[in-house]
Amino acid sequence: MSRELNYIKLTNILSNLLDVSREEINDDMSPENTNSWDSYNGLMMVSELEEKFDVSFTMEEVVSVRNVKDIKFYLRKHGIEI
């Protein structure tokens, strides 16, 4: 899948889970600056990302994510071009 399609898939997941527009999503978006990014939505995000991108994150990866930039980093680590 192309980088652009993967980015669209990622922003669709985040937009749906966090109830924000795709245009609002940026690398600095995090639980600290996004009210809807709570622990529940964080777990749902992991589940959706693993399912939609066919990857499996380690617990270390999951707990080290602090923002969208980190999500993209770990997706790349698993071979997903974003």
Side-chain angles (χ1 to χ4, degrees):
M1 186 172 283
S2 76
R3 178 177 283 182
E4 183 178 342
L5 290 177
N6 283 334
Y7 181 75
I8 290 169
K9 187 188 295 189
L10 173 63
T11 56
N12 282 338
I13 291 167
L14 297 176
S15 174
N16 288 334
L17 283 173
L18 302 176
D19 196 30
V20 296
S21 71
R22 288 185 55 235
E23 293 76 24
E24 292 177 76
I25 297 168
N26 62 68
D27 282 354
D28 296 322
M29 183 177 259
S30 70
E32 286 75 32
N33 60 29
T34 308
N35 291 334
S36 57
W37 189 335
D38 56 18
S39 58
Y40 176 77
N41 279 337
L43 292 174
M44 294 303 298
M45 193 181 304
V46 170
S47 177
E48 284 287 312
L49 291 169
E50 287 182 331
E51 180 183 331
K52 302 291 188 208
F53 287 103
D54 194 28
V55 298
S56 184
F57 297 111
T58 66
M59 186 54 69
E60 182 179 320
E61 291 170 335
V62 170
V63 298
S64 65
V65 168
R66 301 285 179 245
N67 53 39
V68 171
K69 184 178 181 179
D70 291 343
I71 293 170
K72 291 159 81 175
F73 171 80
Y74 286 115
L75 283 170
R76 279 191 227 93
K77 185 176 172 188
H78 287 272
I80 307 300
E81 290 298 318
I82 295 284

